[in-house]
Amino acid sequence: MAEPSDWSLLRSFLAVVRRGSLSAAARATGLTQPTVGRHIDELETGLGVALFTRSQAGLLPTEAATALVPHAEAMEAAFAALVRTARTGGDARQPRGVVRISASEIVGTFVLPPILAGIRKRYPEIIIELVLNNRTDDLLRRDADIAVRMIRPKQDGLVARRLGSIPLGLYAHRDYIARFGLPDTIDALAAHHVIGFDRDDHSARSVASSQLPISRELFSYRTDSDVAQVTAIEAGLGIGGMQIAMARRNPALVPVLANQVAFELDCWLAVHEDQKDAPPIRAMFDGLAEGLARWISEGGR
């Protein structure tokens, strides 16, 4: 009989629940499909219950499986915390270990590299991992140690520090303006090519919904990648929002409705309260806070 406490079985179980098939779970875990299937069989035998039923949509969790998910996820988080604690320990005089940072595409691509280079000079024994996404739950799931976020993290168990506000505006390339002209009112945007989100509208609505008629139908160029939106603006595909400091670096970009549309993003740095005092995490948190606050105060220069 299998031991239900065997983490490899539970890891495969969660992967199948989240992915809906053995093949997708195998790709997510790096295991083979037969291995994942064997894990599910062993777990069902050990627990004495059926965990999945087959359907045209794939493997569907049974009621018993659904009831197990929160407990399995708690074990997943505990195991991840154990690994992270082991990996991020070190001598306080020279912090060493792995620190995983989560940030948006824009911040991670255009803002953090020079800041992280400065931190590397001070703490050469810290290994940096950078993951780019806009999720707010990665700290609680222990998918990251530190997160740079454009909205205030509200989950319990997190320590967050506000670093300042980043101004944004609408911009278009001068080639686009030469061909299509400039809108003179917000309502006139509907007659233009506007760049915006595809399926993930959370960040856009949270920032600009009070000033703009934000909806997917407004956009003639849709992508959920922030970097892809910026490069589309710079290529002349249409009008889109971007950080003013970034836009000023490109003399071919022209402000659009600058007197009518202006909004800001708050910049927050967050860490899980259980990890904030680990030497490498503390060193990285302080270095990021210093670097980002300086970058914001200097207008992104």
Side-chain angles (χ1 to χ4, degrees), residues 60 141 181 220 226 229 241 301:
L60 300 178
R141 295 176 61 86
S220 60
D226 296 335
Q229 289 185 19
R301 294 190 296 273

mmCIF file of all heavy atoms in Angstrom, residues 60 141 181 220 226 229 241 301:
data_model
loop_
_atom_site.group_PDB
_atom_site.id
_atom_site.type_symbol
_atom_site.label_atom_id
_atom_site.label_comp_id
_atom_site.label_asym_id
_atom_site.label_seq_id
_atom_site.Cartn_x
_atom_site.Cartn_y
_atom_site.Cartn_z
ATOM 1 N N LEU A 60 -11.364 14.428 -14.733
ATOM 2 C CA LEU A 60 -12.099 15.311 -13.830
ATOM 3 C C LEU A 60 -11.936 14.814 -12.398
ATOM 4 O O LEU A 60 -12.121 13.622 -12.122
ATOM 5 C CB LEU A 60 -13.584 15.351 -14.197
ATOM 6 C CG LEU A 60 -13.923 15.852 -15.602
ATOM 7 C CD1 LEU A 60 -15.425 15.793 -15.825
ATOM 8 C CD2 LEU A 60 -13.401 17.260 -15.799
ATOM 9 N N ARG A 141 2.242 31.362 -2.173
ATOM 10 C CA ARG A 141 2.484 30.008 -2.668
ATOM 11 C C ARG A 141 3.962 29.659 -2.630
ATOM 12 O O ARG A 141 4.356 28.552 -2.978
ATOM 13 C CB ARG A 141 1.960 29.879 -4.101
ATOM 14 C CG ARG A 141 0.456 30.027 -4.226
ATOM 15 C CD ARG A 141 0.029 29.978 -5.679
ATOM 16 N NE ARG A 141 0.384 28.699 -6.266
ATOM 17 C CZ ARG A 141 -0.399 27.624 -6.192
ATOM 18 N NH1 ARG A 141 -1.555 27.692 -5.555
ATOM 19 N NH2 ARG A 141 -0.036 26.491 -6.736
ATOM 20 N N GLY A 181 -3.315 60.822 -37.719
ATOM 21 C CA GLY A 181 -3.615 62.009 -36.936
ATOM 22 C C GLY A 181 -3.708 61.699 -35.441
ATOM 23 O O GLY A 181 -3.494 60.561 -34.999
ATOM 24 N N SER A 220 -7.607 47.463 -31.216
ATOM 25 C CA SER A 220 -7.437 46.800 -32.516
ATOM 26 C C SER A 220 -6.135 46.002 -32.547
ATOM 27 O O SER A 220 -5.863 45.295 -33.517
ATOM 28 C CB SER A 220 -7.440 47.831 -33.641
ATOM 29 O OG SER A 220 -6.382 48.756 -33.480
ATOM 30 N N ASP A 226 3.042 43.065 -21.560
ATOM 31 C CA ASP A 226 3.327 44.496 -21.421
ATOM 32 C C ASP A 226 4.465 44.925 -22.349
ATOM 33 O O ASP A 226 4.434 46.013 -22.936
ATOM 34 C CB ASP A 226 3.694 44.827 -19.974
ATOM 35 C CG ASP A 226 2.549 44.590 -19.020
ATOM 36 O OD1 ASP A 226 1.387 44.630 -19.470
ATOM 37 O OD2 ASP A 226 2.807 44.351 -17.822
ATOM 38 N N GLN A 229 3.227 45.239 -25.855
ATOM 39 C CA GLN A 229 2.466 46.465 -26.054
ATOM 40 C C GLN A 229 3.399 47.650 -26.293
ATOM 41 O O GLN A 229 3.168 48.469 -27.183
ATOM 42 C CB GLN A 229 1.569 46.728 -24.842
ATOM 43 C CG GLN A 229 0.400 45.772 -24.723
ATOM 44 C CD GLN A 229 -0.520 46.128 -23.581
ATOM 45 O OE1 GLN A 229 -0.511 47.246 -23.082
ATOM 46 N NE2 GLN A 229 -1.336 45.165 -23.151
ATOM 47 N N GLY A 241 -0.721 52.871 -23.752
ATOM 48 C CA GLY A 241 -0.209 53.432 -22.512
ATOM 49 C C GLY A 241 1.155 52.888 -22.167
ATOM 50 O O GLY A 241 1.448 51.713 -22.384
ATOM 51 N N ARG A 301 15.420 57.685 -14.848
ATOM 52 C CA ARG A 301 16.704 57.875 -15.526
ATOM 53 C C ARG A 301 17.748 56.875 -15.029
ATOM 54 O O ARG A 301 17.726 56.464 -13.886
ATOM 55 C CB ARG A 301 17.215 59.310 -15.303
ATOM 56 C CG ARG A 301 16.343 60.364 -15.948
ATOM 57 C CD ARG A 301 17.020 61.726 -15.906
ATOM 58 N NE ARG A 301 17.203 62.197 -14.535
ATOM 59 C CZ ARG A 301 16.291 62.884 -13.854
ATOM 60 N NH1 ARG A 301 15.137 63.171 -14.416
ATOM 61 N NH2 ARG A 301 16.521 63.290 -12.625
#
